């Protein structure tokens, strides 16, 4: 009978907390957007024919599912007193299994949460028989250890002896409640996102990483898909077979948190913007890392050592059949190509030295 009475009190009093609840839900909903957010950008340049590794690492996507479902989610209320020096004290905490712990014996039976908090998403704190000692700044802290989520809402509680001074308002940063001495105060903390109210049995299908590649001038939402990998182990590769063989990620990606893409035998056609998308739909994680890949043409330098240069030996029979001009050209080619040969091996067809007027 007592729990039913508390539920009725909750439903009646929380109707006036709708604006605050909507504000908290709207802020939280921003994190649940399905569109990925760019968290990093890199420029990668590598020579053609080489192997390049585009590093995409995230500790938040490591597959760490265990059997402690009821210990992964916890809410705790803290209180900050103005005197002395805004000292913080823990009021209570509660796990999703329903276990509730109150830290101060003075609050036993007087302060608490609804036993349906994690089913309804209503973590509002109820304080009965409010006293002047209850004045202070309260914080509702929601922790999801598996999802690495931490959300907080602040509420200021003031106590008055005058019924005319009772009010509730928003000061620009937090909700302020002025409650009549001896009454019951309900400090709002409502978050009905599935991550707080429901535990999915198929989280492995909620986690996926995929790599895309877009050519110059192509938007990321029209990029070509390269590979999909789910935490369950399912992997999908796209494109021609040769492309699937040269671009891949590790099958141990989710156990290590390393989703890097390796590209072998890099070619100029592999240039473009690569993006690593990390999605954890259950936890509301949507991140994207971008890599601008440039392929450099290999520099080829072919040099022959001097001792390997070919030697030319003059043949009188060939020289006699050529004209004067062709003999001079032949001499020039040999001289240019055999700088290390002895002068005696050069062929001279003209006995008269050339006279050059330097003044002209």
């Amino acid at each position: 009978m007592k729990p039913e009475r508390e539920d009725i009190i909750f439903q009646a009093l929380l109707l006036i907390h709708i604006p605050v609840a909507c504000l908290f839900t709207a802020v939280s909903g921003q994190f649940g957007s399905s569109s990925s957010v760019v968290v990093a950008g890199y420029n990668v340049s590598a020579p053609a024919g080489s192997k390049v590794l585009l590093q995409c690492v995230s500790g938040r996507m490591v597959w760490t599912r265990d059997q402690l479902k009821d210990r992964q989610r916890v809410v705790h209320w803290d209180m900050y007193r103005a005197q002395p020096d805004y000292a913080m004290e823990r009021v209570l905490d509660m796990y999703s299994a329903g276990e509730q712990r109150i830290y101060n014996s003075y609050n036993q039976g007087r302060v608490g949460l609804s036993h349906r908090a994690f089913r309804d998403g209503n973590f509002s704190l109820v304080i009965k028989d409010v006293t002047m000692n209850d004045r202070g700044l309260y914080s509702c802290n929601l922790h999801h250890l598996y999802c690495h989520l931490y959300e907080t809402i602040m509420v200021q509680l003031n106590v008055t002896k005058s019924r005319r001074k009772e009010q509730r308002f928003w000061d620009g940063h937090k909700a302020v409640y002025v409650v009549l001495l001896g009454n019951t105060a309900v400090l709002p903390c409502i978050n009905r996102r599935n991550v707080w109210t429901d535990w999915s049995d198929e989280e492995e299908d909620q986690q996926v990483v995929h790599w895309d590649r877009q050519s110059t001038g192509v938007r990321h939402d029209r990029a070509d898909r390269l590979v999909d990998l789910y935490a369950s182990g399912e992997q999908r590769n796209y494109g021609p077979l040769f492309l699937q063989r040269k671009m891949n990620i590790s099958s141990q990606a989710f156990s290590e948190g390393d989703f890097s893409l390796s590209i072998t035998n890099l070619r100029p056609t592999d240039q473009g913007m690569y993006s690593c998308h990390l999605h954890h739909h259950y936890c509301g994680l949507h991140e994207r890392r971008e890599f601008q890949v440039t392929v450099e043409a290999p520099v080829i330098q072919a040099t022959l050592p001097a001792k390997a240069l070919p030697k030319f030996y003059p043949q009188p029979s060939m020289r006699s059949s050529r004209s004067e001009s062709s003999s001079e050209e032949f001499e020039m080619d040999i001289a240019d190509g055999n700088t290390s040969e002895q002068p005696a091996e050069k062929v001279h067809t003209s006995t008269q030295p050339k006279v050059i007027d330097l003044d002209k």
Side-chain angles (χ1 to χ4, degrees):
M1 187 67 183
K2 187 176 180 180
E4 294 179 359
R5 184 179 179 183
E6 289 183 357
D7 289 341
I8 294 175
I9 295 176
F10 263 103
Q11 294 175 3
L13 293 177
L14 287 176
L15 291 176
I16 56 179
H17 305 320
I18 292 177
V20 177
C22 291
L23 175 65
F24 186 64
T25 305
V27 173
S28 301
Q30 294 177 1
F31 297 95
S33 174
S34 60
S35 60
S36 56
V37 178
V38 178
V39 297
Y42 308 90
N43 288 322
V44 180
S45 181
S50 64
K51 178 180 179 180
V52 65
L53 184 68
L54 308 182
Q55 292 190 341
C56 181
V57 181
S58 174
R60 296 185 63 186
M61 289 284 286
V62 176
W63 178 234
T64 56
R65 181 180 181 180
D66 53 36
Q67 302 301 319
L68 301 178
K69 297 180 182 180
D70 57 347
R71 307 289 292 183
Q72 292 285 1
R73 293 175 293 169
V74 60
V75 55
H76 62 81
W77 277 89
D78 297 332
M79 178 185 179
Y80 302 83
R81 298 184 185 276
Q83 300 293 336
D85 301 329
Y86 288 95
M88 187 273 287
E89 66 179 62
R90 179 64 49 86
V91 178
L92 62 80
D93 55 32
M94 178 180 180
Y95 288 92
S96 55
E99 176 186 353
Q100 191 169 157
R101 177 171 49 182
I102 298 177
Y103 285 79
N104 192 331
S105 59
Y106 171 74
N107 291 325
Q108 291 288 344
R110 195 179 71 93
V111 175
L113 302 178
S114 170
H115 63 283
R116 296 177 56 87
F118 280 97
R119 278 178 285 178
D120 300 338
N122 186 352
F123 308 95
S124 301
L125 180 68
V126 178
I127 307 176
K128 302 176 182 177
D129 299 326
V130 173
T131 66
M132 291 296 179
N133 194 46
D134 294 324
R135 292 177 299 178
L137 179 64
Y138 290 77
S139 66
C140 172
N141 306 276
L142 297 173
H143 294 269
H144 200 311
L145 306 181
Y146 170 73
C147 292
H148 304 275
L149 292 180
Y150 307 93
E151 299 180 2
T152 300
I153 182 174
M154 311 296 291
V155 183
Q156 176 70 44
L157 175 62
N158 296 332
V159 181
T160 180
K161 295 180 180 180
S162 174
R163 187 176 297 276
R164 293 179 302 173
K165 294 182 179 179
E166 279 190 295
Q167 59 177 324
R168 298 170 178 84
F169 62 93
W170 180 263
D171 68 354
H173 301 282
K174 60 185 178 299
V176 179
Y177 280 63
V178 183
V179 181
L180 184 65
L181 181 67
N183 278 6
T184 297
V186 180
L187 306 185
C189 181
I190 300 175
N191 193 330
R192 292 192 169 94
R193 288 176 56 199
N194 290 338
V195 68
W196 301 113
T197 60
D198 181 38
W199 180 278
S200 173
D201 293 330
E202 300 178 353
E203 291 92 350
E204 63 270 20
D205 294 329
Q206 297 281 346
Q207 296 187 65
V208 59
V209 56
H210 61 80
W211 277 89
D212 293 341
R213 183 172 72 93
Q214 59 195 92
S215 303
T216 305
V218 178
R219 299 187 310 178
H220 75 85
D221 56 345
R222 294 183 176 274
D224 296 326
R225 181 62 48 86
L226 297 175
V227 61
D228 285 333
L229 179 64
Y230 290 85
S232 59
E234 179 184 357
Q235 183 170 344
R236 303 173 186 174
N237 296 85
Y238 302 87
L241 185 60
F242 80 92
L243 194 63
Q244 299 178 23
R245 291 174 176 173
K246 68 181 299 183
M247 298 184 182
N248 57 74
I249 58 180
S250 171
S251 59
Q252 303 297 320
F254 277 98
S255 61
E256 300 173 354
D258 188 348
F259 308 94
S260 303
L261 177 73
S262 63
I263 307 175
T264 58
N265 195 18
L266 199 63
R267 289 290 180 261
T269 54
D270 297 327
Q271 291 188 138
M273 177 71 75
Y274 290 76
S275 54
C276 174
H277 299 250
L278 301 178
H279 293 280
H280 197 317
H281 300 293
Y282 171 74
C283 293
L285 174 66
H286 304 277
E287 297 179 351
R288 184 169 84 250
R289 293 161 176 78
E290 296 181 338
F291 304 82
Q292 181 63 52
V293 177
T294 304
V295 180
E296 301 173 349
V299 179
I300 302 176
Q301 294 181 349
T303 57
L304 292 175
K307 61 181 181 179
L309 292 175
K311 295 183 179 181
F312 295 91
Y313 298 94
Q315 299 180 11
S317 59
M318 294 177 59
R319 188 170 62 248
S320 60
S321 63
R322 293 189 178 185
S323 62
E324 185 72 12
S325 60
S326 62
S327 298
E328 292 178 357
E329 291 174 359
F330 185 65
E331 174 192 354
M332 189 176 297
D333 293 338
I334 295 175
D336 292 342
N338 295 274
T339 55
S340 60
E341 296 297 331
Q342 296 294 332
E345 296 181 3
K346 293 183 179 181
V347 180
H348 298 279
T349 59
S350 176
T351 58
Q352 297 296 329
K354 295 182 178 179
V355 179
I356 300 175
D357 190 347
L358 297 179
D359 293 334
K360 294 182 180 180

